[in-house]
Amino acid sequence: MSLAADQDPTAYLSRFGLSAFRPGQREVIEAVLAGQDCLCVMPTGGGKSLCYQLPAVARPGLTLVVSPLIALMKDQVDQLLAKGLRAALINSTLEPAEQHARLQGMAAGEYELVYVVPERFRSPRFLEAVRASDLKLLAVDEAHCISQWGHDFRPDYAKLGRFRAMLGNPPTIALTATATDTVRQDIVQQLAMSSPRTFISGFARPNLHYEVQMPHTKGRKDQTLEEFLRRTPGSGIVYASSRKRCEEVAEQLAAATGRKTTVYHAGMLPEERRNAQDRFMGGQCDIVVATTAFGMGIDKPDVRFVVHYNLPGTLEGYYQEAGRAGRDGLPSQCLMLYSYGDRRIQEFFIESAYPAREVVGQVYNFLRSIDSDLIELTQQEIKESLNLQIGADGVGTCEQLLEKANVLERLESRENMARVKFDSDVPALVDLLPRQAKAQRRLANAIQDLLGGVRYEWVDISPRDLQIATEMDSAALSRALRELRQLKAFDYIPPFRGRAIRMLERDKPFSRLELDFKEYDRRKAAEYEKLNRVIRFAESSRCREQEILSYFGETESEPCGRCDNCRRRGIKSAGSLPQPAISEVGPSATAPAAMSDRLLEAVRMALSGVARARSRFGKHMVAQMLCGSNNARIKRFGLQKLTTYGLLSDLKQDQVLELLDALLLVGCLEQVGHESRRPTIQLTERGQEVMAGRGGAELNLPLSPALARRFENRSARSAAPRDSSGGALAERSDGTASSSANAVQHGISGPTQSSSSQPPLVNDESAAPAELADTDSFAAAGSPERADAGFVASASRGAEIAASVEFAGGAAPSHYWTWRLLAAGFAVDECAAIRGLERDTVLDHALRSVDSGWPVDPAWFLTPESLQAFAATIGDETPSRIRPLLSRLPAGTRYEEVQLFLKCRSATLTPSSLAVAADSHRNLRANELE
């Protein structure tokens, strides 16, 4: 029955205490009232429930609502009853007599709305009661649970399409707050909906203010959260990744902030969870720290903030959880605290959910070795028996794969219910029995009555009901059931506690099982892509709301003007909602830092340090090396001999660690060695590109304000530079460093250089341990000849450079930083890439460095052959003009190169000394590239 054409659905709003529809609601309701199948994607707090509740009131008949959580349906039914609507729920919390009474009431038309969980469709009694009712609408709430591409897949949801067909394919509305195009298509296909009308309301929530902070240590994360909560009043939810972390965070927050805090996770007893939820909903506590087990359908309107203490696994999950804030329309905050370790947690969850083929084989071989009809081992017990390095839910995935391969069945107890299955198309079970088997025939007829028309599906039945129907005692019933099980078409499982597994195949080797690992791997890759999308959201400098909207297919949106990125860029909100007191990033928090030239230089220096370490060390050792630490471990591994040693000595070690952590977060570095407690770090492909000077300005590094300012005003320190052997360089009377080892070897010095003060050139690779013998021949692909794969080995062994002088105003001139890299042993092309300069500019900086009194080696720019030619042609001349010399020098010689040679030439320079220097230079180069 459709709504009369002249009847306005707004007439029913008052039944729900409303005066107007929210955006998008009326169109959906009119389609439902017209009897059309609908897919409704509406943001959390957008009013999805009204889209099936109002039609349930506006016309006679039953609306059957499938909802995923018992607690969720109880809240909704209580609210409907308070409004005077005829609503009920049917679930396992009710006594059997009450369940039976409500089934009868549903069949008799006593209810407008009945709420059930999808597992209820296993019951033939329930199906018969639905068939007897005047079913007008099937509403599937949280419909993303149907799709295996969704973020909260539930197998019983996936069976709803089959049950819908058994009910005659009634008009259906599927509702969800979070569905990408792939998930939407899957929902329609799984439910076999007929040309459904699809309604997608805007995902924009103009009262929500998204913010991401990136504290790089747990201590900073805790401090950031405490500071946020001290200045953010009202009630809120803090989501954490594990039960243990929830308890830790809740205890810490209660002690640090004094606010009333509770915990909610799946490891608590049902009564404990219920009490925690009631306290939060009733306002007895301000903050609930919870896993994702908390919140689906939580309809507390005045949640002022949602904090993700750990990175969520999907953007759908994040949007749904963050959307629990501000359902009353008032400004509310959504803060994400993201650190590199969070990614590792989510990767562990994915690897557990999609275990390796070998693990699946281990589980199968273990289970088939157990000689028992029902294997009542928990997933955790199986994990521990096999010492598996995955979560217990990973064992569940193995069981699910093996079930699809038809070698086992997974069973769950249903309130002391037995389970039966009739696998035949014959009219009745009794037709398979001989006439003389009177007890079995009586039992078969009783089972047939309980099964109804259900075939090829497990059905829960009560042994007590069978006893009553057959008038058998328990012993006689057990004998009759054992005899019935001899039939191939009939199966029976007695009541059991918890979960159980029944093996259907024990003899077939694992290699012969029909397992679809291709599809399995495709789904695993999709989960990693979802994780990467969340990380891109966290690292993005784009408007947060635009990132979310584009993910869900809305590509024409404008910047929100409210999120942290919009505020940072000075974009104003176009809406009229007042801005809340958004917490600015505190001293311990981190936020994306603008990529200044100084910061980009430091990034490339840090990346080159990781490259030189060749993936052999963790970030702490790399940070110590870059800072120029003199500790015993640095010397034991020969790290003081690397050209990057001390390259960031003007920074503190924790600052370099923060920089490395930021580079991990944005994907320039990665940690390897998952089985180790101390993983090493290495460059990613993106890091190689940035290090080589191809990109980097687009990086959105999460740095603390203090460190970001440090790079903006980066200046030289007063520590004296050291040479490659660890000795301090002699100082000139004017305070500048007097020379470098290479300058002495080449017979070249600065304007007033004293060669007697210089230490000998050290071929440091010969002194390095074998494990680092080729460290400076770094190339990401293992080919030092390929300059495009990374920095080529440095030919010059200059000083381990720290700042040599104090500069006016505290800021070093640009050419100082270029000289510092060159003197540290970086090739000209490397230096140009690190600093983002042209080669000509690097040469100009070298000329200015000579004028500043800093030692410069022309061999940094000139080949040994060019040095010999220059020495032979120019000799001891002091030409007044340089251009006439160019015609006598090798083709391609540049004016600035001759200028550099003359500026650096000592008064005692001779062609023979330059020849010796050229040979030394050539030999050193060959040694490094071997």
Side-chain angles (χ1 to χ4, degrees):
M1 173 181 172
S2 298
L3 190 69
D6 60 349
Q7 194 170 6
D8 187 348
T10 57
Y12 296 91
L13 285 173
S14 60
R15 296 284 304 274
F16 299 90
L18 303 172
S19 58
F21 289 111
R22 294 183 184 179
Q25 284 180 321
R26 179 169 186 144
E27 294 82 356
V28 179
I29 289 170
E30 288 177 344
V32 171
L33 289 169
Q36 296 176 300
D37 287 347
C38 296
L39 173 60
C40 175
V41 183
M42 190 174 286
T44 300
K48 294 186 296 296
S49 299
L50 191 70
C51 295
Y52 59 81
Q53 290 174 352
L54 189 148
V57 173
R59 63 183 183 184
L62 172 68
T63 293
L64 185 63
V65 184
V66 181
S67 182
L69 296 176
I70 292 174
L72 166 60
M73 66 175 65
K74 182 180 184 302
D75 289 342
Q76 291 183 327
V77 169
D78 288 346
Q79 291 172 21
L80 292 172
L81 291 174
K83 292 180 172 70
L85 304 182
R86 293 182 290 120
L89 57 82
I90 301 175
N91 60 39
S92 59
T93 64
L94 304 176
E95 294 294 330
E98 180 63 22
Q99 291 186 37
H100 183 67
R102 293 192 184 186
L103 286 175
Q104 288 183 318
M106 181 174 68
E110 296 178 6
Y111 303 116
E112 296 167 312
L113 295 110
V114 171
Y115 285 74
V116 296
V117 293
E119 290 80 4
R120 180 58 45 178
F121 285 84
R122 297 178 187 173
S123 167
R125 276 190 174 180
F126 171 74
L127 290 174
E128 289 302 321
V130 175
R131 288 192 184 101
S133 70
D134 182 19
L135 180 62
K136 292 297 184 183
L137 178 66
L138 175 65
V140 182
D141 203 5
E142 307 294 349
H144 58 273
C145 297
I146 292 172
S147 174
Q148 291 200 39
W149 301 107
H151 65 280
D152 194 22
F153 172 68
R154 288 177 60 163
D156 275 285
Y157 256 87
K159 299 175 183 177
L160 288 176
R162 192 159 65 245
F163 290 124
R164 179 174 179 261
M166 293 172 64
L167 297 174
N169 291 316
T172 300
I173 178 171
L175 308 103
T176 180
T178 53
T180 61
D181 182 61
T182 301
V183 173
R184 294 196 294 266
Q185 293 179 36
D186 204 19
I187 291 171
V188 171
Q189 181 179 349
Q190 295 294 333
L191 286 175
M193 299 171 77
S194 176
S195 303
R197 292 191 62 183
T198 300
F199 298 91
I200 303 176
S201 297
F203 285 88
R205 294 284 304 280
N207 64 315
L208 297 188
H209 301 254
Y210 299 103
E211 181 176 7
V212 178
Q213 295 187 17
M214 301 182 184
H216 73 287
T217 65
K218 183 181 181 300
R220 288 197 175 189
K221 179 179 284 194
D222 291 341
Q223 187 179 355
T224 301
L225 177 58
E226 291 170 16
E227 291 169 354
F228 172 83
L229 293 177
R230 287 193 186 100
R231 56 178 172 263
T232 308
S235 65
I237 306 169
V238 178
Y239 284 106
S241 60
S242 68
R243 302 171 186 180
K244 180 181 178 182
R245 186 54 50 85
C246 285
E247 293 168 355
E248 292 174 349
V249 172
E251 183 178 355
Q252 165 211 330
L253 292 182
T257 67
R259 297 176 69 171
K260 295 179 180 178
T261 305
T262 190
V263 178
Y264 187 105
H265 58 68
M268 299 164 60
L269 295 173
E271 186 63 26
E272 293 174 327
R273 292 199 303 270
R274 187 161 47 252
N275 288 339
Q277 180 172 326
D278 290 346
R279 288 181 63 214
F280 179 70
M281 298 293 289
Q284 283 81 44
C285 72
D286 294 332
I287 301 168
V288 58
V289 184
T291 61
T292 56
F294 180 82
M296 185 178 286
I298 294 299
D299 192 16
K300 182 175 171 61
D302 60 344
V303 174
R304 293 278 68 87
F305 60 87
V306 170
V307 177
H308 281 81
Y309 184 88
N310 298 111
L311 183 80
T314 68
L315 204 53
E316 296 103 310
Y318 170 73
Y319 177 74
Q320 187 176 53
E321 290 151 12
R324 289 170 188 139
R327 290 193 175 188
D328 56 5
L330 297 178
S332 304
Q333 298 186 60
C334 304
L335 172 66
M336 181 192 296
L337 302 176
Y338 166 42
S339 62
Y340 181 78
D342 295 340
R343 177 177 188 143
R344 295 288 297 277
I345 293 171
Q346 292 299 332
E347 288 173 346
F348 174 78
F349 290 157
I350 294 173
E351 292 298 324
S352 290
Y354 295 88
R357 180 192 296 260
E358 296 75 17
V359 175
V360 180
Q362 283 182 271
V363 172
Y364 172 63
N365 291 327
F366 173 74
L367 291 174
R368 68 183 180 135
S369 70
I370 300 175
D371 185 15
S372 176
D373 187 38
L374 287 181
I375 303 172
E376 297 186 59
L377 292 175
T378 67
Q379 294 169 358
Q380 182 65 29
E381 288 170 336
I382 296 172
K383 164 186 157 63
E384 292 173 354
S385 297
L386 294 172
N387 194 28
L388 299 177
Q389 300 302 307
I390 59 173
D393 58 338
V395 175
T397 301
C398 295
E399 294 172 357
Q400 183 180 352
L401 283 170
L402 294 170
E403 186 175 40
K404 288 181 178 179
N406 297 314
V407 297
L408 61 77
E409 287 181 304
R410 296 180 300 158
L411 309 170
E412 292 187 16
S413 65
R414 305 288 299 171
E415 300 90 37
N416 296 317
M417 302 288 277
R419 309 187 82 185
V420 296
K421 184 166 64 167
F422 183 25
D423 292 339
S424 176
D425 293 323
V426 300
L429 178 60
V430 72
D431 296 340
L432 301 175
L433 295 168
R435 290 191 177 275
Q436 63 270 24
K438 295 182 180 180
Q440 292 96 305
R441 290 176 68 86
R442 186 171 28 161
L443 176 59
N445 283 324
I447 291 173
Q448 191 74 59
D449 289 341
L450 292 173
L451 283 175
V454 179
R455 306 291 174 92
Y456 303 100
E457 292 279 348
W458 284 109
V459 174
D460 300 327
I461 61 174
S462 165
R464 177 64 178 164
D465 288 346
L466 286 179
Q467 280 187 263
I468 294 172
T470 60
E471 297 181 347
M472 293 180 179
D473 60 29
S474 59
L477 181 65
S478 296
R479 283 196 302 272
L481 283 168
R482 283 197 300 271
E483 290 164 0
L484 274 185
R485 286 189 66 187
Q486 303 304 312
L487 298 173
K488 289 185 177 180
F490 178 77
D491 208 350
Y492 170 81
I493 297 173
F496 62 91
R497 293 183 178 275
R499 295 179 177 180
I501 293 170
R502 187 166 68 155
M503 297 302 295
L504 305 177
E505 178 65 69
R506 296 181 185 274
D507 299 329
K508 187 181 293 186
F510 179 72
S511 60
R512 292 179 52 202
L513 300 188
E514 296 180 4
L515 294 168
D516 186 5
F517 277 99
K518 184 176 181 180
E519 174 66 12
Y520 176 83
D521 291 339
R522 190 162 70 95
R523 293 187 183 280
K524 183 176 182 178
E527 290 302 312
Y528 269 106
E529 177 52 34
K530 287 182 179 181
L531 175 59
N532 290 334
R533 192 61 188 260
V534 180
I535 291 170
R536 289 201 295 272
F537 168 81
E539 296 172 355
S540 176
S541 58
R542 185 187 181 198
C543 168
R544 304 284 183 198
E545 188 170 85
Q546 281 186 312
E547 284 286 332
I548 292 172
L549 297 181
S550 65
Y551 182 75
F552 290 110
E554 296 186 26
T555 58
E556 302 299 323
S557 60
E558 296 293 328
C560 71
R562 301 179 305 275
C563 70
D564 56 339
N565 284 339
C566 284
R567 298 198 313 273
R568 193 171 294 114
R569 290 155 54 195
I571 298 175
K572 302 294 184 182
S573 173
S576 58
L577 287 171
Q579 294 278 351
I582 296 289
S583 61
E584 296 300 330
V585 178
S588 65
T590 53
M595 185 55 67
S596 65
D597 291 343
R598 293 284 186 266
L599 178 54
L600 185 55
E601 290 168 11
V603 164
R604 288 172 173 152
M605 290 177 186
L607 293 174
S608 64
V610 175
R612 301 287 196 229
R614 296 294 292 272
S615 307
R616 297 177 185 272
F617 301 97
K619 61 184 181 182
H620 287 85
M621 282 287 283
V622 172
Q624 290 171 13
M625 179 268 292
L626 287 167
C627 287
S629 170
N630 287 318
N631 70 34
R633 294 191 69 210
I634 290 289
K635 293 179 179 178
R636 188 173 88 215
F637 291 112
L639 295 179
Q640 82 280 8
K641 300 178 184 295
L642 301 182
T643 55
T644 50
Y645 176 75
L647 203 56
L648 295 176
S649 60
D650 59 310
L651 299 177
K652 296 178 180 179
Q653 185 177 323
D654 65 338
Q655 292 175 319
V656 177
L657 274 173
E658 183 178 337
L659 179 60
L660 293 175
D661 277 332
L663 292 170
L664 283 164
L665 285 170
V666 300
C668 288
L669 299 176
E670 63 182 351
Q671 288 185 305
V672 294
H674 294 286
E675 75 288 345
S676 172
R677 289 180 175 271
R678 297 184 182 276
T680 61
I681 56 174
Q682 67 180 19
L683 290 181
T684 62
E685 183 176 347
R686 185 183 189 187
Q688 294 169 26
E689 291 289 312
V690 173
M691 182 180 68
R694 296 187 293 274
E698 77 288 351
L699 292 179
N700 207 23
L701 288 184
L703 300 176
S704 64
L707 186 56
R709 287 192 297 270
R710 178 70 180 83
F711 285 115
E712 286 296 326
N713 304 308
R714 194 172 178 213
S715 63
R717 308 270 293 185
S718 59
R722 299 174 182 272
D723 67 16
S724 59
S725 64
L729 293 178
E731 289 190 353
R732 291 163 43 87
S733 59
D734 60 1
T736 61
S738 59
S739 70
S740 74
N742 281 341
V744 174
Q745 266 321 91
H746 290 282
I748 299 170
S749 67
T752 58
Q753 181 175 310
S754 170
S755 61
S756 61
S757 65
Q758 303 311 313
L761 178 67
V762 177
N763 184 350
D764 52 23
E765 293 296 353
S766 64
E771 62 183 346
L772 284 176
D774 194 35
T775 299
D776 273 354
S777 301
F778 170 80
S783 301
E785 296 81 11
R786 286 189 58 208
D788 62 340
F791 290 152
V792 297
S794 178
S796 175
R797 292 300 182 189
E800 172 237 320
I801 299 297
S804 59
V805 292
E806 294 287 349
F807 295 97
S814 181
H815 67 277
Y816 163 79
W817 297 103
T818 303
W819 168 80
R820 179 170 170 172
L821 287 171
L822 293 169
F826 285 90
V828 174
D829 290 340
E830 294 178 315
C831 179
I834 290 174
R835 298 222 56 210
L837 304 174
E838 297 294 331
R839 185 183 175 92
D840 287 352
T841 306
V842 176
L843 179 55
D844 177 68
H845 283 190
L847 290 167
R848 295 171 62 188
S849 297
V850 176
D851 293 339
S852 298
W854 306 328
V856 174
D857 186 344
W860 296 341
F861 297 87
L862 300 174
T863 65
E865 293 75 16
S866 295
L867 283 172
Q868 288 179 313
F870 277 33
T873 301
I874 300 174
D876 296 331
E877 293 183 35
T878 305
S880 58
R881 297 180 59 209
I882 293 177
R883 295 199 180 279
L885 293 174
L886 296 177
S887 61
R888 297 158 52 195
L889 292 169
T893 299
R894 304 183 55 196
Y895 179 97
E896 291 81 7
E897 292 172 341
V898 180
Q899 186 180 23
L900 181 70
F901 178 86
L902 292 172
K903 279 179 176 285
C904 295
R905 190 183 62 178
S906 70
T908 58
L909 185 64
T910 65
S912 59
S913 66
L914 276 177
V916 171
D919 288 340
S920 173
H921 184 109
R922 188 184 299 108
N923 291 337
L924 180 57
R925 180 73 168 178
N927 288 339
E928 289 180 331
L929 294 178
E930 283 179 355

